[in-house]
Amino acid sequence: MASGPEQEVVEQRFLDQLVRMQDAEGRHLWKYNTGNVEDPTATGRTSFREVLVLDDLRKALRRINLDDNGNEWLDEGRIDQAINALQRIGTSKLLEANQESTTLLLKGTVVDGVEGWDQRRGRTVHFVDWDRPENNTFRAINQFRVDEPGGQAKKYVTPDIVLFCNGIPLVVVECKSPGIASPIDQAIDQLQRYANQRTWTEGNEGNERLFHTNQFVIATCFDEARAGTFTSQAVHFLEWKDTSPMEMARVAEALGKESLSSQE
């Protein structure tokens, strides 16, 4: 990965802050992988066509879905059923696919029942442990290459940072050097390209599958950072105003600073 203000001042500081963050019990929750645009296995995938980190997802499904006695019960076949529900959304329109995927994240999906358990009725499998956040796997991956579908002008997109929960991409971050002209506008334009949302251009130019489960996107140049959704126009991106539920002074102290930048 090339070095420079974008990588050193913006991207790396973003990642360093995530990795240092701790919960109320003093646990470091965020894991971090450095991407490699030549090798998908560096980001836990077998192909750059994949957008899920399947190893994290499979382990999380086993861990957070327990039977009445607190034991793991999912086998490989039922795990495959759950993952297929997330991968095979029944619409080609991005906004509808995002709505269906978000419903799956919130409510789970039904897989085959188990012999001798509740008359073998179908069982709901959850993708996220909403009650115990520390039971999920949070991972940040930078330079996350995703190949574009065949026939498009570019071969792949490489967002600067993608944030995952249990191997599911929820946030895409685009970093720009604070020294260039209009860095936030340039970052937003690139985010829109990744999601095929630049309506003024002809044809597809990104990979919409990366945004099926997306909850928001971030454009940042460190001193200024703005958040929106993949459908937001530039005027609709806004700053994240505070660090609630943790006090901003505590976050600044943890970073050894008197005040926080917009990104921090």
Side-chain angles (χ1 to χ4, degrees):
M1 179 173 59
S3 61
E6 178 179 310
Q7 193 275 323
E8 297 171 0
V9 176
V10 187
E11 185 176 329
Q12 195 58 52
R13 288 186 182 182
F14 193 113
L15 295 165
D16 290 344
Q17 183 176 351
L18 278 181
V19 172
R20 290 173 61 182
M21 287 173 60
Q22 301 179 28
D23 66 7
E25 306 299 324
R27 291 172 292 210
H28 293 271
L29 296 183
W30 281 93
K31 303 178 186 295
Y32 160 53
N33 283 70
T34 299
N36 184 325
V37 297
E38 303 296 333
D39 180 12
T41 62
T43 50
R45 299 174 290 167
T46 60
S47 166
F48 286 123
R49 292 188 298 273
E50 298 171 358
V51 299
L52 301 174
V53 180
L54 289 176
D55 187 52
D56 279 357
L57 180 53
R58 288 182 178 277
K59 290 177 180 177
L61 290 174
R62 289 185 182 277
R63 183 175 63 250
I64 69 180
N65 293 282
L66 305 178
D67 65 17
D68 297 337
N69 296 316
N71 299 315
E72 296 180 359
W73 62 274
L74 278 171
D75 58 16
E76 288 300 315
R78 292 177 176 85
I79 288 175
D80 287 341
Q81 290 179 33
I83 293 174
N84 285 340
L86 203 57
Q87 289 181 319
R88 299 177 182 176
I89 299 298
T91 176
S92 60
K93 297 181 179 179
L94 176 55
L95 188 56
E96 293 177 2
N98 183 267
Q99 291 170 335
E100 288 187 25
S101 298
T102 299
T103 298
L104 286 172
L105 296 182
L106 292 171
K107 298 182 178 181
T109 189
V110 176
V111 302
D112 291 342
V114 178
E115 187 70 38
W117 186 11
D118 195 23
Q119 300 179 350
R120 205 171 183 176
R121 291 188 177 92
R123 310 298 303 180
T124 298
V125 171
H126 295 282
F127 296 98
V128 180
D129 192 333
W130 298 105
D131 297 322
R132 297 175 297 167
E134 70 280 359
N135 202 30
N136 300 298
T137 297
F138 298 98
R139 188 180 302 278
I141 300 178
N142 68 327
Q143 301 302 305
F144 187 75
R145 169 178 165 173
V146 180
D147 283 356
E148 296 179 357
Q152 295 186 192
K154 296 182 181 292
K155 292 183 178 181
Y156 57 85
V157 298
T158 314
D160 288 322
I161 303 171
V162 180
L163 306 182
F164 297 79
C165 177
N166 299 334
I168 302 167
L170 301 185
V171 181
V172 176
V173 183
E174 189 61 26
C175 304
K176 291 297 179 185
S177 168
I180 66 174
S182 305
I184 296 300
D185 288 341
Q186 289 197 39
I188 291 172
D189 182 74
Q190 203 149 340
L191 290 166
Q192 292 171 333
R193 180 175 74 81
Y194 294 157
N196 282 335
Q197 296 299 301
R198 299 201 301 184
T199 56
W200 56 93
T201 62
E202 293 185 5
N204 294 327
E205 55 181 359
N207 191 314
E208 295 185 4
R209 289 186 62 240
L210 180 61
F211 294 86
H212 280 190
T213 54
N214 182 265
Q215 300 304 300
F216 61 96
V217 296
I218 297 171
T220 179
C221 63
F222 188 72
D223 293 326
E224 183 180 4
R226 293 182 176 269
T229 69
F230 63 78
T231 61
S232 299
Q233 298 302 306
V235 68
H236 300 130
F237 277 72
L238 297 172
E239 283 189 303
W240 203 294
K241 290 300 183 182
D242 63 40
T243 58
S244 179
M246 184 176 289
E247 296 177 359
M248 292 181 71
R250 285 187 59 196
V251 178
E253 181 182 4
L255 294 174
K257 304 185 68 174
E258 293 185 0
S259 61
L260 300 175
S261 73
S262 178
Q263 173 176 296
E264 291 166 329

